[in-house]
Amino acid sequence: MLEIVRYTPDRMAEWNQLVARSKNGTFLFDRRYMDYHADRFTDHSLLFYHKGRLYAVLPANADGDTLWSHQGLTYGGLIIGKEATVEHVCDIFQALLAYLRSQGFHRMVYKAIPSIYHRLPAEEDLYALVNVCGAHIIVRHISSTILLSHPLPFTEARRSGLRKATAAALRVEERGAEGIDAFWQVLRNNLHDKYGACPVHTEEEMRLLMGRFPENIRLFTVSDGQETLAGTLLYVTPQVTHTQYISASAKGKKTGALDLLFDHILNKVSHPTRFFDFGKSSDGDGHDLNRPLIFQKEGFGARGICYDWYEVMC
């Protein structure tokens, strides 16, 4: 009664409908988002049918003999409907193990969806991973999150930065896709100087995604009236507003631009979500904690949430 089918583009509408009505899906799993970088990955997403009805989907890509869920996404995991039961999810993982072996996979890396993103309790997959698949955690990242109904006060360091920004007459505004180029210049310079890296998305990709998901992707920037000094790109999902990117120029850092930015976003902007998540502050496999970065985020009143990756040997 359980059938596993590999995703093909003709199943896009059916896939997206399941994600939209699921209890743990977000717009990151909509194929219009996932497929913007389809050329970078060998897609091996799966659909699970129970008695002929689509019951769950797994965003995934293949890399050698490893199935990832999903290398191109912040989090992955099994997307399930409200009708999902523990028994059925365990059956799905039992069938998934058999499928992986039949396809020549020796390993699966499963990036679980943190519970803050769940619209309803949805940790049946975590139970099945351990008790059906014998999985164990191989990566644990720490993120910093605010429960918006019970925010903690800013620390003195953040209030001091806010006073600097106010004295410098900086201002915050929400921008559309037309603000991407100026913010990306700040972001690129910062990533290059600190890490020798580039943003995951290009400006063109970001404008494309903002056009497809205007309600879900929002850009806020800080300027002195002449140049963009700082900004953040927010991903808005049903439960969580997540900072996909945060960056400030050297001048922005000196003048407290980020403190003004997040004071505005947290205290003056209405959010339809329960949580505000600043994203991870750990590198590599999670062992390297970026202490200055998490100090800044905790200064806004954020506290820890884990992003876990599980390994399953087939």
Side-chain angles (χ1 to χ4, degrees):
M1 292 189 293
L2 183 63
E3 180 186 13
I4 301 177
V5 177
R6 185 172 174 179
Y7 175 79
T8 51
D10 60 296
R11 297 180 185 270
M12 176 186 288
E14 189 179 19
W15 174 288
N16 287 345
Q17 288 168 9
L18 186 283
V19 171
R21 67 176 176 82
S22 70
K23 59 180 183 174
N24 61 342
T26 70
F27 79 95
L28 273 71
F29 303 122
D30 188 300
R31 298 307 307 201
R32 295 173 300 155
Y33 184 92
M34 284 185 62
D35 292 342
Y36 87 88
H37 55 21
D39 59 319
R40 300 181 199 172
F41 302 97
T42 302
D43 190 84
H44 202 110
S45 299
L46 301 172
L47 301 91
F48 300 85
Y49 293 87
H50 181 254
K51 295 183 178 179
R53 184 186 179 207
L54 184 60
Y55 196 78
V57 298
L58 180 68
N61 70 281
D63 183 13
D65 64 356
T66 299
L67 186 80
W68 288 78
S69 76
H70 181 296
Q71 279 180 292
L73 298 174
T74 306
Y75 44 84
L78 191 72
I79 313 303
I80 52 179
K82 299 173 184 177
E83 70 278 6
T85 66
V86 174
E87 181 180 9
H88 287 159
V89 173
C90 286
D91 290 344
I92 284 174
F93 276 88
Q94 191 69 56
L96 176 59
L97 278 178
Y99 173 86
L100 295 176
R101 293 173 186 138
S102 73
Q103 297 296 309
F105 291 108
H106 295 158
R107 177 174 175 258
M108 176 173 69
V109 177
Y110 187 97
K111 297 161 71 172
I113 304 170
S115 62
I116 55 174
Y117 290 90
H118 299 176
R119 280 172 276 189
L120 292 172
E123 293 190 345
E124 293 87 353
D125 61 336
L126 302 188
Y127 177 84
L129 278 167
V130 173
N131 293 291
V132 174
C133 302
H136 63 279
I137 294 173
I138 57 170
V139 172
R140 169 165 281 172
H141 285 293
I142 188 71
S143 185
S144 303
T145 306
I146 296 172
L147 177 61
L148 289 169
S149 62
H150 292 80
L152 298 175
F154 284 17
T155 62
E156 175 53 31
R158 303 281 64 84
R159 292 197 297 270
S160 174
L162 180 57
R163 289 192 293 269
K164 290 180 184 178
T166 302
L170 303 188
R171 64 171 186 262
V172 181
E173 60 181 324
E174 182 168 6
R175 308 285 301 278
E178 81 285 349
I180 285 293
D181 285 342
F183 175 56
W184 240 243
Q185 183 176 349
V186 173
L187 180 62
R188 282 183 181 278
N189 292 342
N190 219 3
L191 289 176
H192 179 269
D193 293 345
K194 292 182 70 173
Y195 307 109
C198 295
V200 172
H201 303 85
T202 66
E203 295 94 319
E204 293 77 13
E205 289 170 340
M206 207 68 253
R207 281 192 288 269
L208 172 70
L209 293 172
M210 290 181 78
R212 290 179 178 177
F213 301 96
E215 302 299 319
N216 301 104
I217 303 177
R218 303 176 68 182
L219 173 64
F220 289 83
T221 62
V222 183
S223 74
D224 60 0
Q226 296 181 328
E227 62 178 312
T228 297
L229 303 179
T232 186
L233 193 78
L234 303 180
Y235 275 20
V236 182
T237 61
Q239 296 293 310
V240 181
T241 300
H242 171 78
T243 56
Q244 184 70 11
Y245 292 108
I246 306 171
S247 199
S249 67
K251 183 177 179 180
K253 293 172 184 176
K254 289 180 182 178
T255 53
L258 288 178
D259 299 304
L260 179 69
L261 176 67
F262 287 110
D263 174 68
H264 178 88
I265 289 173
L266 293 170
N267 296 317
K268 298 177 176 64
V269 175
S270 177
H271 296 281
T273 59
R274 293 185 63 208
F275 300 98
F276 190 93
D277 183 54
F278 282 96
K280 66 185 183 72
S281 299
S282 47
D283 301 317
D285 61 359
H287 283 89
D288 299 324
L289 180 65
N290 189 328
R291 294 175 183 269
L293 181 59
I294 203 165
F295 173 81
Q296 180 187 48
K297 295 173 181 177
E298 290 175 340
F300 295 118
R303 294 297 183 264
I305 287 290
C306 289
Y307 283 58
D308 292 338
W309 299 10
Y310 290 79
E311 181 181 57
V312 175
M313 303 307 296
C314 307

